[in-house]
């Protein structure tokens, strides 16, 4: 049995993780920790899953790594600077692994993968992400990661065509690694993203929709099962666990 703790256990995602860990035959819940609880409650866990808040997750990771507990992180907010900090932290604690996945939805990972494959063939690429209005960060971690991946796949391509010279601030979205990202917050939605590519006379839209938070759980459990055996101390994204690298 894999002993699992959950940080953010009362939240929208954490509460689903608690149920998934309790329901799976090979995982056992050590404890759920939420705001105000003592992290010590997860001592004895092999792995802790973190779905908390972008402002809180780094402190949680420091505690977990210092205590020799593998971490599976879904919380957003990991830019290159943060990743470098985690790498430095892990270098001081050999034997501890961290998996950070911007999105645990298998279809969402495929959406990003297909976007990378398509990117070199198009002049334009923009991302529209749509989420529930309780989300703390914009753009989403998934959109941020997709933009970085698309930018990397475009390589030295010409800048995207855009004649805008007059703009209401924000109208053209955020510039993430040279890719425009538009964030919508709409009541009733959960998590959705479209990557829109265009070239002369043709467009391609790759769309992903999360219709429930349960949909993230197969990916989370995959991370929980595999994190301790990953070849690198720090893994970004579920892709290598799905054979997509
Ligand atoms: N990678 C993925 O596939 C997914 C990632 N996410 C990300 O996960 C994160 C959480 O999302 P969501 O579940 O919707 O958010 P919620 O606000 O519903 O849940 C977060 C929970 O964590 C608690 N919390 C905050 N700080 C701490 C802390 N230091 N220790 C323990 N618990 C804490 C919050 O308590 P309180 O409310 O009292 O602050 C809350 O109960 C976000 O960054 C989101 O983007 C979401 C969905 C999928
Ligand atoms: O806050 C959310 O809900 C989600 N957050 C993640 C992100 O920021 O990409 C994953 C998914 O989009 C749901």
């Amino acid at each position: 049995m894999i002993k699992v703790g959950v940080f953010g256990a009362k939240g929208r995602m954490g509460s689903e993780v608690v149920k998934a860990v309790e329901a799976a035959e090979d995982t056992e819940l050590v404890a759920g920790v939420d705001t105000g609880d003592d992290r010590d409650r997860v001592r004895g866990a092999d792995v802790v899953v973190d779905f908390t808040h972008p402002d809180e997750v780094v402190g949680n990771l420091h505690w977990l790594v210092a205590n020799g507990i593998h971490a599976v992180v879904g919380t957003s907010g990991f830019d290159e600077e943060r990743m470098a900090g985690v790498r430095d932290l892990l270098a001081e604690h050999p034997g501890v692994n961290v998996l950070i996945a911007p999105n645990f939805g298998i279809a969402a990972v495929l959406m990003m993968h297909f976007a990378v494959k398509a990117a070199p063939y198009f002049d334009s690429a923009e991302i529209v992400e749509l989420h529930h209005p309780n989300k703390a960060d914009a753009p989403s971690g998934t959109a941020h990661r997709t933009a970085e991946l698309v930018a990397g796949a475009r390589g030295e391509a010409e800048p995207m065509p855009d004649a805008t010279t007059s703009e209401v601030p924000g109208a053209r979205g955020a510039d993430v690694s040279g890719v425009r990202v538009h964030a919508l917050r709409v009541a009733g939605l959960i998590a959705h993203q479209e990557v829109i590519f265009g070239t002369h006379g043709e467009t391609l839209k790759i769309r992903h929709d999360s219709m429930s938070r349960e949909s993230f759980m197969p990916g989370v459990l995959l991370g929980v099962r595999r994190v301790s055996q990953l070849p690198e101390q720090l893994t970004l994204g579920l892709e290598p666990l799905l054979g997509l690298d």
Side-chain angles (χ1 to χ4, degrees):
M1 290 293 258
I2 307 169
K3 293 187 185 127
V4 184
V6 180
F7 282 175
K10 292 184 182 159
R12 286 176 287 270
M13 284 297 291
S15 56
E16 285 296 335
V17 177
V18 166
K19 281 192 265 175
V21 166
E22 285 176 333
E25 286 182 354
D26 57 345
T27 56
E28 173 184 313
L29 184 72
V30 174
V33 167
D34 208 85
T35 300
D37 296 336
D38 194 338
R39 290 180 182 128
D40 266 334
R41 293 174 60 173
V42 302
R43 258 183 217 287
D46 303 307
V47 181
V48 165
V49 180
D50 187 298
F51 281 100
T52 57
H53 189 281
D55 296 343
E56 299 292 325
V57 61
V58 172
N60 286 343
L61 261 182
H62 275 263
W63 187 90
L64 291 171
V65 171
N67 284 284
I69 301 173
H70 302 297
V72 170
V73 178
T75 308
S76 47
F78 284 88
D79 56 13
E80 195 34 60
E81 194 185 334
R82 260 193 192 187
M83 291 297 288
V86 179
R87 261 183 223 108
D88 290 347
L89 171 69
L90 286 169
E92 293 166 20
H93 298 276
V96 186
N97 290 351
V98 172
L99 167 66
I100 299 173
N103 202 308
F104 282 99
I106 309 289
V109 177
L110 288 170
M111 172 262 296
M112 289 189 267
H113 185 71
F114 296 147
V116 168
K117 297 284 175 214
Y121 299 95
F122 291 91
D123 300 329
S124 303
E126 302 213 6
I127 297 171
V128 183
E129 60 95 327
L130 310 90
H131 281 83
H132 58 93
N134 296 313
K135 186 165 176 54
D137 55 320
S140 70
T142 306
H144 202 278
R145 178 74 181 142
T146 310
E148 287 173 347
L149 290 170
V150 165
R154 279 171 55 79
E156 301 301 311
E158 293 288 310
M160 295 184 208
D162 181 357
T164 310
T165 52
S166 162
E167 182 192 354
V168 174
R172 292 288 294 115
D175 181 336
V176 180
S177 305
V179 178
R180 291 280 159 183
V181 182
H182 311 266
L184 280 63
R185 297 291 174 264
V186 180
L189 295 182
I190 293 188
H192 316 258
Q193 179 168 299
E194 264 187 31
V195 189
I196 305 171
F197 293 104
T199 187
H200 300 287
E202 279 192 304
T203 64
L204 173 68
K205 291 179 192 163
I206 305 175
R207 181 172 174 111
H208 171 257
D209 295 282
S210 302
M211 258 81 78
S212 73
R213 291 188 175 84
E214 237 181 300
S215 68
F216 297 105
M217 296 307 124
V220 172
L221 288 175
L222 177 66
V224 164
R225 289 177 180 127
R226 298 276 297 280
V227 64
S228 67
Q229 304 124 45
L230 289 171
E232 308 289 338
Q233 269 194 288
L234 178 59
T235 302
L236 175 61
L238 220 50
E239 287 85 346
L241 287 74
L242 298 171
L244 288 174
D245 266 2

